């Protein structure tokens, strides 16, 4: 090794000290500095409103003028440059569409302090491998379950179907990489941005991908689209549209309550026979393959 002069040696020692100090930046679940990327979008504004009620210091980042105006009007917050937002941030929330996560993350992750928690709001991009490789930061993934159909809570606002305003909802979260203690910090932020919370579930990124797109979109949204097509068909055949909608939505409630064991009940013999006849007509024998890893991967590939 080549000899170093006293000044060079001193600088090396100082740089090493800084690196070691940066790697030991403490992550606290209260009063953290959070950089919110995409703060002026629909999701960003939702999160900003809830973060404004917390003790966290939030640095809002939004590139579009329309988004900046939307954020200012809805939250009363101004945006700051990206570099300013990332400086000293202990957590970064990427509130951007799945198709942009990889691109946005590439421009953000390289400038983060070691130990920073990066929070992604959907499993698609992490599952697809679109996040930059960097071992000294944490990747935390969280997603809302949305308010359940069945709930015993009493509230004035019955229109909060998405959640995050007045209706309690459960959430799922995964620590994709990073120290175990960062899960609690990430979950605390998740509880703030998705509040009010019913339950918080810990899953893996792979399990979250099974839940969405697999369970919620590929299966549930498709079947709901089929139900709407059926509704339109009986209306086309002469049933009053309001009567048909009332009939379908009412039956969806009681049938779901029985199927999901919300109540202690059983289907009638006639209903069971209708299911036995209708199942093979509506669903393919191998439809459950949508949950196979290669099918999940292909579904995510199409949306990212």
């Amino acid at each position: 090794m080549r000899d170093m002069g006293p000044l060079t040696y001193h600088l090396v020692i100082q740089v090493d000290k800084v690196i070691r100090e940066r790697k030991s930046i403490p992550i606290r679940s209260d009063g953290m500095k959070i950089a919110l990327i995409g703060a002026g979008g629909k999701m960003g504004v939702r999160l900003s409103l809830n973060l404004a009620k917390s003790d966290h210091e939030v640095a809002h980042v939004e590139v579009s003028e329309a988004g900046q105006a939307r954020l200012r009007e809805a939250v009363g917050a101004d945006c700051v440059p990206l570099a300013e937002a990332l400086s000293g941030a202990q957590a970064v929330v990427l509130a951007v569409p799945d198709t942009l996560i990889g691109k946005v993350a590439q421009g953000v992750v390289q400038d983060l302090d070691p130990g920073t928690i990066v929070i992604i709001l959907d499993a698609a991009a992490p599952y697809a491998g679109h996040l930059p490789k960097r071992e000294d930061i944490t990747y935390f993934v969280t997603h809302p379950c949305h308010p359940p159909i069945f709930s015993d809570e009493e509230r004035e606002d019955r229109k909060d179907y998405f959640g995050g305003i007045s209706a309690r909802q459960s959430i799922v979260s995964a620590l994709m990489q990073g120290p175990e203690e960062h899960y609690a910090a990430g979950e605390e932020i998740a509880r703030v941005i998705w509040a009010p919370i019913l339950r918080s579930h810990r899953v893996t990124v792979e399990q979250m991908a099974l839940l969405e797109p697999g369970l919620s979109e590929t299966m549930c949204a498709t079947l709901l689209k089929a139900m709407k097509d059926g509704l339109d068909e009986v209306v086309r055949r002469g049933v009053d549209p309001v009567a048909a909608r009332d009939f379908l939505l009412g039956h969806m409630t009681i049938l779901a309550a029985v199927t999901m064991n919300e109540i202690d009940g059983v289907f009638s013999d006639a209903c069971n026979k209708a299911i036995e006849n209708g199942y093979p007509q509506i669903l393919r024998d191998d439809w459950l393959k949508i949950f196979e890893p290669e099918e999940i991967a292909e579904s995510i590939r199409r949306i990212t």
Side-chain angles (χ1 to χ4, degrees):
M1 180 176 173
R2 183 165 57 88
D3 290 337
M4 295 182 293
L7 179 58
T8 303
Y9 180 79
H10 176 75
L11 289 174
V12 169
I13 293 297
Q14 290 301 311
V15 169
D16 181 68
K17 180 181 178 182
V18 169
I19 290 174
R20 285 187 283 107
E21 288 177 347
R22 289 179 70 185
K23 286 186 176 181
S24 63
I25 291 176
I27 292 292
R28 297 180 300 125
S29 60
D30 62 325
M32 298 169 60
K33 178 182 178 181
I34 300 174
L36 178 59
I37 314 300
K42 183 181 296 186
M43 180 63 74
V45 170
R46 284 179 178 273
L47 306 191
S48 295
L49 286 168
N50 278 350
L51 283 167
K53 305 171 188 176
S54 73
D55 294 330
H56 299 303
E57 173 193 349
V58 183
H60 303 83
V61 178
E62 173 59 49
V63 295
S64 74
E65 293 185 1
Q68 293 173 9
R70 186 185 306 115
L71 180 70
R72 191 177 303 111
E73 179 180 356
V75 187
D78 291 318
C79 293
V80 299
L82 178 61
E84 180 180 336
L86 298 183
S87 178
Q90 295 165 290
V92 177
V93 179
L94 301 181
V96 297
D98 291 334
T99 53
L100 298 177
I101 285 288
K103 180 179 179 180
V104 172
Q106 290 288 348
V108 168
V109 168
Q110 62 185 0
D111 295 325
L112 299 179
D113 289 330
T116 303
I117 300 176
V118 179
I119 298 178
I120 304 97
L121 307 180
D122 190 278
Y127 185 91
H130 292 172
L131 299 178
K133 302 293 184 183
R134 186 171 166 186
E135 296 183 357
D136 62 347
I137 64 169
T138 292
Y139 283 132
F140 183 90
V141 188
T142 183
H143 197 77
C145 296
H146 304 297
I149 295 174
F150 304 111
S151 174
D152 57 2
E153 66 174 324
E154 297 183 1
R155 53 189 172 87
E156 295 182 4
D157 179 14
R158 303 295 298 179
K159 295 291 186 179
D160 183 17
Y161 301 122
F162 187 91
I165 301 176
S166 61
R168 292 195 301 162
Q169 63 179 338
S170 295
I171 58 175
V172 292
S173 302
L175 182 65
M176 183 176 181
Q177 72 170 48
E180 177 60 28
E181 57 265 27
H182 281 189
Y183 181 84
E187 184 191 35
E188 193 279 332
I189 295 174
R191 285 179 172 274
V192 170
I193 62 178
W194 304 129
I197 300 300
L198 179 62
R199 286 180 288 271
S200 178
H201 305 283
R202 182 169 185 173
V203 298
T204 65
V205 171
E206 291 74 20
Q207 290 169 341
M208 198 181 298
L210 282 171
L211 296 175
E212 183 165 308
L215 188 68
S216 62
E217 295 176 340
T218 305
M219 187 198 76
C220 185
T222 299
L223 294 177
L224 284 169
K225 175 63 168 59
M227 283 191 275
K228 179 58 168 61
D229 290 344
L231 175 63
D232 293 341
E233 178 61 16
V234 299
V235 170
R236 187 186 71 80
R237 291 173 180 265
V239 179
D240 177 77
V242 177
R245 187 175 186 273
D246 286 347
F247 199 86
L248 177 61
L249 294 181
H251 277 75
M252 284 173 63
T253 300
I254 183 58
L255 293 173
V258 173
T259 302
M260 299 298 175
N261 299 314
E262 186 68 21
I263 61 173
D264 184 14
V266 296
F267 291 153
S268 66
D269 290 342
C271 183
N272 283 324
K273 289 180 179 179
I275 294 172
E276 183 179 352
N277 178 64
Y279 204 96
Q281 294 189 58
I282 298 172
L283 297 171
R284 293 170 41 152
D285 290 340
D286 63 346
W287 77 269
L288 286 172
K289 73 178 184 180
I290 65 173
F291 297 108
E292 292 296 331
E294 59 271 19
E295 293 290 335
I296 294 292
E298 176 58 22
S299 178
I300 288 176
R301 185 195 65 78
R302 289 192 292 265
I303 64 177
T304 58

